[in-house]
């Protein structure tokens, strides 16, 4: 299949009252693992690259790898820029063949966020590319943008933001956080705020960032085989899935892929000290990421 627009996938998710998973990618093995899991579970998926991923792999490599993966499966795949932090970054992704972009102006004053987001929307829409905006601050590191604490999205402002910018989807802050060290104690999500946001903008797909569960088994394996990941804490998929009936249509997952990939490599090296063929250990990591993605897709998408 060809790469499709994220909008198409989000509309499909709404019809089915499910969410599309958006997984962060930056290399061939991750792309293969995710698309093969999507194919096996017969569900569409969004592959997204951050500015850091684009810098690491190169925009052409990312697009061509995703194109190659999309061609070899029979479910739709979209290619999205995650946390674009400027008009120029979004323009580069639009011109580089991405089918949707996120412009993250959440750290800016409200009016400036509207202005920047609208500029991206005007450019992207002309080229048939859809745009995700963000309002409210999600804790954790967001590429160039960093927020120490989350500030919930204000529902009335969300409506004004969507009306004035014309964004196709909106990332909201309801208490989730980025990274592997999300919480110090069990988090309480503001599902009531989410409900109010949905009432204000019922036709806008909502996006949940920071939706890794911080897979405890992967953290334990990393630490067992020489790693040092302390105080990692996430939240169960079942809790995150409660956001879906409240309008969340895109669920962003990155950290869990990194944890499972790393755990697999650490265990492999510890158990196979004489092996040095990358195909051996990368194949193993790719398979474990695939199994993780199948699990996520079954909870959120299928
Ligand atoms: O939300 C941020 C994503 O996990 C991307 O992280 O900037 O390290 O690629 P990154
Ligand atoms: P996690 O760090 O929870 O995987 O969040 C990823 C994300 O929101 C990417 O935009
Ligand atoms: Zn994010």
């Amino acid at each position: 299949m060809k790469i499709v627009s994220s909008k198409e996938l989000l509309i499909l998710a709404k019809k089915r009252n499910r969410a599309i998973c958006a997984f962060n990618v930056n290399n061939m093995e991750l792309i293969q693992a995710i698309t093969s899991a999507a194919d096996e579970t017969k569900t569409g998926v969004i592959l997204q690259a951050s500015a850091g991923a684009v810098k690491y792999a190169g925009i052409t490599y990312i697009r061509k790898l995703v194109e190659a993966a999309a061609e070899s499966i029979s479910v739709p795949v979209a290619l999205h820029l995650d946390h674009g932090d400027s008009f120029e970054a979004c323009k580069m992704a639009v011109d580089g063949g991405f089918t949707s972009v996120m412009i993250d102006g959440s750290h800016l004053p409200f009016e400036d966020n509207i202005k920047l987001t609208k500029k991206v929307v005007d450019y992207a829409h002309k080229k048939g590319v859809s745009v995700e905006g963000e309002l409210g601050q999600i804790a954790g590191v967001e590429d160039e943008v960093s927020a120490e604490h989350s500030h919930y999205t204000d529902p009335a402002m969300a409506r004004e933001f969507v009306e004035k910018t014309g964004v196709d989807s909106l990332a909201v802050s309801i208490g989730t956080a980025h990274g592997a060290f999300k919480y110090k104690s069990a988090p309480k999500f503001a599902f009531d705020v989410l409900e109010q946001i949905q009432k204000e903008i019922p036709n806008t797909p909502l996006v949940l960032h920071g939706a890794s569960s911080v897979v405890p088994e992967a953290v334990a394996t990393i630490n067992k085989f020489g790693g040092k990941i302390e105080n990692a804490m996430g939240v169960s998929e079942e809790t995150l899935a409660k956001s879906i009936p409240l309008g969340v249509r895109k669920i962003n997952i990155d950290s869990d892929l990194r944890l499972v990939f790393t755990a697999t490599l650490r265990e492999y090296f510890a158990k196979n000290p004489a092996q040095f063929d990358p195909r051996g250990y990368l194949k193993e990591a790719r398979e474990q990421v695939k199994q993780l993605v199948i699990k996520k897709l079954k909870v959120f998408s299928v």
Side-chain angles (χ1 to χ4, degrees):
M1 271 194 129
K2 268 189 10 204
I3 301 179
V4 301
S5 78
S6 300
K7 197 172 174 177
E8 205 174 293
L9 293 179
L10 296 177
I11 290 170
L12 215 71
K14 184 173 182 182
K15 265 196 206 146
R16 301 179 46 238
N17 201 18
R18 303 295 284 145
I20 295 294
C21 288
F23 297 103
N24 286 67
V25 297
N26 52 57
N27 66 27
M28 183 184 78
E29 284 74 17
L30 287 169
I31 291 170
Q32 289 176 331
I34 296 158
T35 49
S36 142
D39 205 26
E40 216 165 286
T41 50
K42 298 191 176 12
T43 182
V45 76
I46 297 174
L47 299 181
Q48 55 186 14
S50 67
V54 168
K55 195 169 161 197
Y56 171 77
I59 191 162
T60 309
Y61 271 95
I62 292 196
R63 192 192 72 242
K64 294 210 178 236
L65 284 168
V66 172
E67 275 170 3
E71 269 176 32
S72 55
I73 59 170
S74 51
V75 291
V77 174
L79 175 57
H80 175 79
L81 174 72
D82 190 28
H83 291 287
D85 67 335
S86 63
F87 173 76
E88 290 70 27
C90 293
K91 181 176 182 300
M92 185 185 67
V94 170
D95 297 345
F98 283 46
T99 53
S100 60
V101 295
M102 174 188 192
I103 175 67
D104 181 357
S106 59
H107 55 295
L108 298 171
F110 186 56
E111 293 301 333
D112 294 351
N113 188 2
I114 289 178
K115 214 164 134 192
L116 173 62
T117 305
K118 170 124 181 48
K119 188 174 171 188
V120 171
V121 167
D122 288 345
Y123 185 79
H125 279 184
K126 263 191 239 142
K127 311 238 171 181
V129 169
S130 54
V131 179
E132 173 183 329
E134 179 175 326
L135 190 64
Q137 279 182 282
I138 299 158
V141 178
E142 297 186 328
D143 296 333
E144 306 305 312
V145 185
S146 99
E148 224 168 274
H149 305 288
S150 58
H151 301 283
Y152 295 153
T153 305
D154 179 289
M157 283 166 91
R159 173 137 76 126
E160 188 181 341
F161 186 81
V162 168
E163 282 171 0
K164 288 190 170 162
T165 59
V167 281
D168 303 279
S169 59
L170 184 69
V172 292
S173 172
I174 58 154
T176 56
H178 287 102
F181 311 97
K182 298 181 187 303
Y183 315 111
K184 290 197 171 71
S185 56
K188 277 208 184 85
F189 298 127
F191 288 121
D192 54 331
V193 173
L194 190 56
E195 203 172 344
Q196 288 167 39
I197 298 171
Q198 193 196 21
K199 277 192 188 132
E200 292 285 346
I201 45 171
N203 298 321
T204 306
L206 305 177
V207 182
L208 198 65
H209 283 246
S212 276
S213 291
V214 190
V215 182
E217 296 81 10
V219 175
T221 302
I222 290 173
N223 289 336
K224 181 173 170 192
F225 293 104
K228 196 166 190 278
I229 297 194
E230 290 168 337
N231 305 318
M233 188 174 186
V235 67
S236 73
E237 278 105 4
E238 287 66 29
T239 301
L240 292 163
K242 289 184 188 155
S243 64
I244 297 175
L246 300 172
V248 166
R249 299 289 164 226
K250 174 171 177 274
I251 301 230
N252 281 16
I253 299 165
D254 184 0
S255 300
D256 281 348
L257 308 183
R258 299 180 185 198
L259 288 168
V260 166
F261 203 100
T262 304
T264 309
L265 293 185
R266 280 201 175 275
E267 182 167 357
Y268 184 95
F269 289 132
K271 292 184 173 168
N272 303 278
Q275 295 293 339
F276 60 94
D277 184 342
R279 291 169 297 186
Y281 49 81
L282 291 177
K283 187 176 170 192
E284 197 61 37
R286 183 175 63 187
E287 180 56 29
Q288 293 309 314
V289 170
K290 178 179 170 181
Q291 294 312 318
L292 171 81
V293 170
I294 288 176
K295 184 178 176 219
K296 302 280 186 193
L297 293 172
K298 284 185 176 164
V299 177
F300 299 124
S301 297
V302 175

